[in-house]
Amino acid sequence: PVARLLAAASDCLITHPNVMNGAALYWSDPRIHYVEGWSLDAFAKGSLRLRPQRRQRIGVLFDAGIEPELLLRHRQVLAAARATLGLDIGPELVSDEPLGVRLSQASSGSSWGQLEQPGALLRAGSRLKHAGATAIAVVARFPDDNGSDALQAYRNGSGVDALAGAEAVISHLLVRHLQLPCAHAPALAPLPLDPQVDPRAVAEELGHTFLACVLVGLSRAPDLVVDGSCRPDDLMADQLGAVVVPQGALGGEAVLACLERQVPVITVENRSVLSVTSDALAMGPDVLQAGSYAEAAGLVMA
Protein backbone atom coordinates (compact mmCIF):
# COMPACT_ATOMS: atom_id res chain seq x y z
CA PRO A 1 0.00 0.00 0.00
CA VAL A 2 2.85 2.43 0.76
CA ALA A 3 4.39 1.78 -2.66
CA ARG A 4 1.08 2.49 -4.39
CA LEU A 5 0.74 5.72 -2.38
CA LEU A 6 4.22 6.89 -3.37
CA ALA A 7 3.59 5.89 -7.00
CA ALA A 8 0.43 8.01 -7.00
CA ALA A 9 2.31 10.94 -5.44
CA SER A 10 5.21 10.78 -7.90
CA ASP A 11 3.76 9.08 -11.02
CA CYS A 12 6.98 7.01 -11.19
CA LEU A 13 8.29 4.85 -8.36
CA ILE A 14 11.41 2.67 -8.60
CA THR A 15 11.41 0.15 -5.77
CA HIS A 16 12.78 -3.19 -4.60
CA PRO A 17 11.01 -6.54 -5.21
CA ASN A 18 10.64 -7.13 -1.47
CA VAL A 19 8.48 -3.99 -1.24
CA MET A 20 6.01 -5.49 -3.73
CA ASN A 21 6.26 -9.25 -3.11
CA GLY A 22 3.43 -10.91 -1.23
CA ALA A 23 3.69 -14.60 -2.20
CA ALA A 24 0.30 -15.42 -3.82
CA LEU A 25 -0.82 -11.77 -3.45
CA TYR A 26 0.40 -9.02 -5.76
CA TRP A 27 -0.70 -5.70 -7.21
CA SER A 28 0.64 -4.67 -10.60
CA ASP A 29 0.87 -0.94 -11.35
CA PRO A 30 2.51 0.48 -14.49
CA ARG A 31 3.85 3.41 -12.44
CA ILE A 32 5.90 1.05 -10.25
CA HIS A 33 9.24 -0.29 -11.55
CA TYR A 34 10.38 -3.58 -9.96
CA VAL A 35 14.19 -3.34 -9.62
CA GLU A 36 16.47 -5.71 -7.68
CA GLY A 37 18.94 -4.30 -5.13
CA TRP A 38 22.22 -4.48 -7.08
CA SER A 39 20.51 -2.77 -10.02
CA LEU A 40 19.04 -0.11 -7.72
CA ASP A 41 22.52 0.73 -6.44
CA ALA A 42 23.98 0.83 -9.94
CA PHE A 43 21.11 3.01 -11.17
CA ALA A 44 21.52 5.48 -8.30
CA LYS A 45 25.26 5.73 -9.05
CA GLY A 46 24.50 6.45 -12.72
CA SER A 47 26.21 3.34 -14.07
CA LEU A 48 23.07 1.93 -15.72
CA ARG A 49 19.72 3.14 -17.02
CA LEU A 50 16.32 1.54 -16.65
CA ARG A 51 14.29 0.97 -19.81
CA PRO A 52 10.56 0.38 -19.10
CA GLN A 53 9.11 -2.76 -20.67
CA ARG A 54 5.53 -3.92 -21.14
CA ARG A 55 6.45 -7.61 -21.30
CA GLN A 56 9.44 -9.73 -20.33
CA ARG A 57 10.12 -13.36 -21.21
CA ILE A 58 10.76 -14.91 -17.80
CA GLY A 59 13.25 -17.76 -17.56
CA VAL A 60 12.90 -19.85 -14.39
CA LEU A 61 15.90 -21.34 -12.59
CA PHE A 62 15.13 -24.17 -10.17
CA ASP A 63 17.64 -25.39 -7.58
CA ALA A 64 18.54 -29.07 -8.01
CA GLY A 65 18.13 -29.37 -4.24
CA ILE A 66 14.33 -28.98 -4.42
CA GLU A 67 12.46 -32.22 -3.68
CA PRO A 68 10.20 -33.64 -6.47
CA GLU A 69 6.85 -32.81 -4.82
CA LEU A 70 7.91 -29.26 -3.94
CA LEU A 71 9.29 -28.80 -7.46
CA LEU A 72 5.93 -29.91 -8.89
CA ARG A 73 4.15 -27.29 -6.76
CA HIS A 74 6.40 -24.59 -8.25
CA ARG A 75 5.86 -25.86 -11.78
CA GLN A 76 2.12 -25.67 -11.17
CA VAL A 77 2.60 -21.97 -10.36
CA LEU A 78 4.22 -21.52 -13.78
CA ALA A 79 1.30 -23.27 -15.48
CA ALA A 80 -1.21 -21.16 -13.54
CA ALA A 81 0.60 -17.93 -14.34
CA ARG A 82 0.57 -18.76 -18.04
CA ALA A 83 -3.09 -19.81 -18.11
CA THR A 84 -4.59 -17.28 -15.68
CA LEU A 85 -2.34 -14.22 -16.02
CA GLY A 86 -1.07 -14.72 -19.57
CA LEU A 87 2.58 -14.30 -18.58
CA ASP A 88 5.37 -15.23 -21.01
CA ILE A 89 7.27 -17.87 -19.01
CA GLY A 90 10.07 -20.07 -20.27
CA PRO A 91 12.55 -21.49 -20.73
CA GLU A 92 12.91 -23.23 -17.38
CA LEU A 93 15.67 -25.48 -16.10
CA VAL A 94 17.11 -27.17 -13.02
CA SER A 95 20.67 -26.33 -11.93
CA ASP A 96 23.29 -29.00 -12.60
CA GLU A 97 23.93 -29.39 -8.85
CA PRO A 98 22.27 -28.18 -5.62
CA LEU A 99 23.03 -24.54 -4.82
CA GLY A 100 23.54 -25.23 -1.11
CA VAL A 101 21.98 -22.16 0.55
CA ARG A 102 23.12 -21.45 4.12
CA LEU A 103 21.58 -18.83 6.40
CA SER A 104 23.40 -16.62 8.90
CA GLN A 105 22.72 -13.62 11.10
CA ALA A 106 25.07 -10.69 11.62
CA SER A 107 25.88 -9.24 15.04
CA SER A 108 23.59 -6.29 14.20
CA GLY A 109 20.66 -8.70 13.87
CA SER A 110 20.37 -8.39 10.08
CA SER A 111 20.28 -11.56 8.00
CA TRP A 112 22.80 -12.75 5.43
CA GLY A 113 23.76 -16.04 3.83
CA GLN A 114 26.06 -18.07 1.60
CA LEU A 115 25.93 -20.30 -1.47
CA GLU A 116 28.01 -23.47 -1.51
CA GLN A 117 27.84 -23.69 -5.33
CA PRO A 118 27.68 -20.19 -6.87
CA GLY A 119 29.06 -21.59 -10.12
CA ALA A 120 25.96 -23.74 -10.56
CA LEU A 121 23.79 -20.62 -10.23
CA LEU A 122 25.80 -18.67 -12.81
CA ARG A 123 25.92 -21.58 -15.29
CA ALA A 124 22.16 -22.06 -15.11
CA GLY A 125 21.51 -18.32 -15.45
CA SER A 126 23.75 -18.11 -18.52
CA ARG A 127 21.92 -21.03 -20.14
CA LEU A 128 18.58 -19.28 -19.61
CA LYS A 129 19.87 -16.03 -21.09
CA HIS A 130 21.28 -17.84 -24.13
CA ALA A 131 17.91 -19.61 -24.55
CA GLY A 132 16.13 -16.26 -24.86
CA ALA A 133 15.06 -15.28 -21.34
CA THR A 134 14.95 -11.50 -20.81
CA ALA A 135 14.32 -11.76 -17.04
CA ILE A 136 15.02 -14.58 -14.57
CA ALA A 137 13.11 -15.91 -11.58
CA VAL A 138 15.25 -18.03 -9.25
CA VAL A 139 13.78 -20.64 -6.89
CA ALA A 140 16.38 -21.98 -4.45
CA ARG A 141 15.79 -24.58 -1.72
CA PHE A 142 16.19 -22.79 1.61
CA PRO A 143 16.71 -24.57 4.94
CA ASP A 144 13.51 -25.26 6.90
CA ASP A 145 13.79 -23.94 10.44
CA ASN A 146 10.23 -24.13 11.71
CA GLY A 147 11.11 -24.05 15.40
CA SER A 148 13.51 -21.10 15.40
CA ASP A 149 12.96 -17.98 17.49
CA ALA A 150 13.83 -15.82 14.46
CA LEU A 151 11.08 -17.35 12.34
CA GLN A 152 8.53 -17.03 15.12
CA ALA A 153 9.45 -13.37 15.65
CA TYR A 154 9.12 -12.69 11.92
CA ARG A 155 5.70 -14.39 11.75
CA ASN A 156 4.59 -12.32 14.73
CA GLY A 157 5.65 -9.05 13.11
CA SER A 158 8.59 -8.23 15.37
CA GLY A 159 11.60 -9.83 13.69
CA VAL A 160 13.94 -9.74 10.73
CA ASP A 161 13.29 -11.83 7.61
CA ALA A 162 15.90 -14.55 8.10
CA LEU A 163 15.82 -15.45 4.39
CA ALA A 164 16.33 -12.00 2.87
CA GLY A 165 20.10 -11.72 3.27
CA ALA A 166 20.76 -14.98 1.43
CA GLU A 167 18.21 -14.01 -1.22
CA ALA A 168 20.16 -10.81 -1.82
CA VAL A 169 23.37 -12.80 -2.32
CA ILE A 170 21.65 -14.89 -5.01
CA SER A 171 20.01 -12.04 -6.92
CA HIS A 172 22.99 -9.65 -6.68
CA LEU A 173 25.36 -12.30 -8.04
CA LEU A 174 23.09 -13.23 -10.93
CA VAL A 175 22.20 -9.67 -11.97
CA ARG A 176 25.83 -8.56 -11.85
CA HIS A 177 26.82 -11.52 -14.03
CA LEU A 178 23.96 -11.41 -16.57
CA GLN A 179 22.77 -7.76 -16.58
CA LEU A 180 19.16 -9.04 -16.64
CA PRO A 181 16.31 -8.31 -14.21
CA CYS A 182 16.21 -11.08 -11.61
CA ALA A 183 14.27 -11.85 -8.44
CA HIS A 184 14.21 -14.77 -6.03
CA ALA A 185 11.53 -16.95 -4.42
CA PRO A 186 12.58 -19.38 -1.68
CA ALA A 187 11.40 -22.99 -1.81
CA LEU A 188 10.25 -24.06 1.65
CA ALA A 189 8.00 -26.68 3.19
CA PRO A 190 4.60 -25.20 4.23
CA LEU A 191 4.47 -23.98 7.82
CA PRO A 192 1.99 -25.27 10.42
CA LEU A 193 -1.12 -23.14 10.90
CA ASP A 194 -0.67 -20.33 13.46
CA PRO A 195 -3.63 -18.08 14.40
CA GLN A 196 -1.28 -15.36 15.70
CA VAL A 197 0.56 -14.54 12.45
CA ASP A 198 0.99 -10.80 11.90
CA PRO A 199 -1.03 -9.37 8.96
CA ARG A 200 2.22 -8.17 7.34
CA ALA A 201 3.51 -11.76 7.18
CA VAL A 202 0.31 -13.71 6.59
CA ALA A 203 0.37 -13.43 2.75
CA GLU A 204 3.34 -15.80 2.85
CA GLU A 205 1.32 -18.41 4.77
CA LEU A 206 -1.43 -18.86 2.17
CA GLY A 207 0.15 -21.12 -0.44
CA HIS A 208 2.87 -23.68 -1.11
CA THR A 209 5.19 -21.21 -2.85
CA PHE A 210 6.31 -17.56 -2.95
CA LEU A 211 6.72 -17.61 -6.73
CA ALA A 212 3.55 -16.00 -8.14
CA CYS A 213 4.33 -12.42 -7.05
CA VAL A 214 7.90 -12.70 -8.39
CA LEU A 215 6.62 -13.73 -11.82
CA VAL A 216 4.16 -10.82 -11.89
CA GLY A 217 6.84 -8.33 -10.84
CA LEU A 218 9.39 -9.57 -13.36
CA SER A 219 6.82 -9.65 -16.19
CA ARG A 220 7.09 -5.83 -16.45
CA ALA A 221 10.49 -5.19 -14.85
CA PRO A 222 12.58 -2.61 -16.73
CA ASP A 223 15.58 -3.67 -18.79
CA LEU A 224 19.02 -2.83 -17.40
CA VAL A 225 20.88 -0.74 -20.00
CA VAL A 226 24.63 -0.37 -19.64
CA ASP A 227 25.65 0.40 -23.24
CA GLY A 228 25.66 3.81 -24.91
CA SER A 229 22.22 3.54 -26.50
CA CYS A 230 19.55 5.87 -25.16
CA ARG A 231 15.79 6.12 -25.74
CA PRO A 232 13.46 8.94 -24.76
CA ASP A 233 11.67 6.82 -22.13
CA ASP A 234 14.86 5.57 -20.42
CA LEU A 235 15.00 6.34 -16.70
CA MET A 236 18.29 7.89 -15.54
CA ALA A 237 19.72 8.81 -12.16
CA ASP A 238 19.76 12.52 -12.93
CA GLN A 239 15.94 12.39 -13.26
CA LEU A 240 15.45 11.28 -9.65
CA GLY A 241 13.27 13.72 -7.73
CA ALA A 242 13.59 12.18 -4.26
CA VAL A 243 14.58 9.06 -2.35
CA VAL A 244 12.38 7.67 0.44
CA VAL A 245 14.17 5.40 2.91
CA PRO A 246 13.75 4.16 6.51
CA GLN A 247 15.57 6.40 8.98
CA GLY A 248 17.75 3.60 10.36
CA ALA A 249 18.95 2.27 6.99
CA LEU A 250 20.84 5.14 5.38
CA GLY A 251 24.20 3.45 4.81
CA GLY A 252 23.49 1.73 1.50
CA GLU A 253 25.16 2.59 -1.78
CA ALA A 254 21.99 3.99 -3.37
CA VAL A 255 21.31 6.48 -0.56
CA LEU A 256 24.93 7.65 -0.37
CA ALA A 257 25.09 8.03 -4.14
CA CYS A 258 21.93 10.13 -4.12
CA LEU A 259 23.29 12.35 -1.36
CA GLU A 260 26.44 12.86 -3.41
CA ARG A 261 24.29 13.84 -6.39
CA GLN A 262 22.23 16.20 -4.16
CA VAL A 263 19.00 14.27 -4.66
CA PRO A 264 16.61 15.05 -1.76
CA VAL A 265 16.52 12.18 0.76
CA ILE A 266 13.35 11.72 2.82
CA THR A 267 13.78 9.53 5.90
CA VAL A 268 10.80 7.81 7.52
CA GLU A 269 10.45 6.66 11.11
CA ASN A 270 10.30 2.88 10.69
CA ARG A 271 11.86 0.88 13.52
CA SER A 272 14.47 -1.71 12.52
CA VAL A 273 17.49 -3.52 13.95
CA LEU A 274 19.87 -1.08 12.24
CA SER A 275 20.69 2.39 13.56
CA VAL A 276 22.45 3.93 10.56
CA THR A 277 20.60 7.22 10.95
CA SER A 278 21.11 10.71 9.57
CA ASP A 279 22.58 11.72 12.94
CA ALA A 280 24.99 8.76 12.97
CA LEU A 281 26.21 9.73 9.49
CA ALA A 282 26.24 13.48 10.31
CA MET A 283 24.03 14.23 7.32
CA GLY A 284 22.58 17.35 8.93
CA PRO A 285 20.17 19.37 6.79
CA ASP A 286 20.73 17.19 3.71
CA VAL A 287 17.78 14.97 4.67
CA LEU A 288 14.08 15.65 5.23
CA GLN A 289 12.48 13.73 8.08
CA ALA A 290 8.97 12.28 7.97
CA GLY A 291 7.05 10.59 10.76
CA SER A 292 5.16 8.28 8.39
CA TYR A 293 5.05 7.19 4.76
CA ALA A 294 1.90 9.29 4.27
CA GLU A 295 3.90 12.34 5.37
CA ALA A 296 6.74 11.28 3.03
CA ALA A 297 4.25 11.16 0.15
CA GLY A 298 3.23 14.72 1.00
CA LEU A 299 6.87 15.82 0.90
CA VAL A 300 7.30 14.11 -2.49
CA MET A 301 4.34 16.04 -3.86
CA ALA A 302 5.65 19.29 -2.32
Side-chain angles (χ1 to χ4, degrees), residues 5-297:
L5 172 66
L6 291 171
S10 64
D11 233 19
C12 179
L13 175 70
I14 301 165
T15 193
H16 191 277
N18 279 357
V19 173
M20 301 306 300
N21 287 350
L25 305 181
Y26 44 80
W27 191 295
S28 185
D29 186 322
R31 299 170 298 185
I32 298 176
H33 301 281
Y34 186 90
V35 181
E36 177 275 341
W38 185 90
S39 312
L40 271 177
D41 290 345
F43 171 74
K45 290 184 289 187
S47 57
L48 64 75
R49 298 185 304 284
L50 302 175
R51 182 165 294 165
Q53 294 294 329
R54 294 182 59 84
R55 190 176 184 87
Q56 297 283 11
R57 186 183 184 198
I58 307 168
V60 184
L61 193 168
F62 290 117
D63 182 355
I66 302 174
E67 302 90 330
E69 183 174 326
L70 190 55
L71 181 61
L72 176 58
R73 286 291 189 185
H74 283 84
R75 285 190 159 136
Q76 288 177 331
V77 175
L78 304 187
R82 291 186 187 103
T84 305
L85 304 177
L87 302 187
D88 186 0
I89 299 172
E92 62 182 83
L93 58 78
V94 176
S95 62
D96 54 30
E97 56 185 323
L99 301 181
V101 176
R102 292 187 290 169
L103 305 180
S104 302
Q105 192 167 36
S107 58
S108 67
S110 62
S111 66
W112 63 288
Q114 294 174 299
L115 274 185
E116 292 178 0
Q117 300 297 336
L121 176 73
L122 297 181
R123 288 191 298 273
S126 296
R127 286 167 58 198
L128 288 171
K129 182 176 182 177
H130 292 151
T134 60
I136 295 178
V138 185
V139 184
R141 184 62 166 103
F142 270 51
D144 293 313
D145 194 12
N146 295 353
S148 75
D149 292 339
L151 176 61
Q152 197 57 44
Y154 176 72
R155 295 178 83 192
N156 292 340
S158 61
V160 168
D161 181 354
L163 311 182
E167 291 190 287
V169 170
I170 291 168
S171 62
H172 285 27
L173 182 61
L174 207 54
V175 172
R176 185 173 182 173
H177 181 67
L178 299 177
Q179 308 288 295
L180 292 181
C182 299
H184 178 268
L188 294 161
L191 292 169
L193 189 64
D194 181 349
Q196 304 302 320
V197 175
D198 187 273
R200 292 168 296 175
V202 78
E204 299 174 358
E205 309 265 334
L206 302 180
H208 287 271
T209 84
F210 299 78
L211 182 55
C213 61
V214 170
L215 297 173
V216 171
L218 286 173
S219 69
R220 296 182 64 142
D223 285 342
L224 312 178
V225 182
V226 295
D227 60 25
S229 66
C230 191
R231 297 182 186 174
D233 62 342
D234 283 357
L235 303 177
M236 295 177 283
D238 60 10
Q239 296 172 309
L240 278 173
V243 176
V244 179
V245 63
Q247 168 66 285
L250 302 184
E253 288 184 73
V255 174
L256 298 179
C258 288
L259 281 169
E260 189 174 87
R261 302 167 75 93
Q262 299 183 314
V263 177
V265 173
I266 301 169
T267 68
V268 182
E269 290 296 329
N270 185 358
R271 187 172 59 87
S272 70
V273 299
L274 298 179
S275 56
V276 189
T277 64
S278 52
D279 290 340
L281 295 178
M283 290 178 175
D286 294 330
V287 300
L288 303 169
Q289 298 192 6
S292 68
Y293 285 100
E295 187 178 332

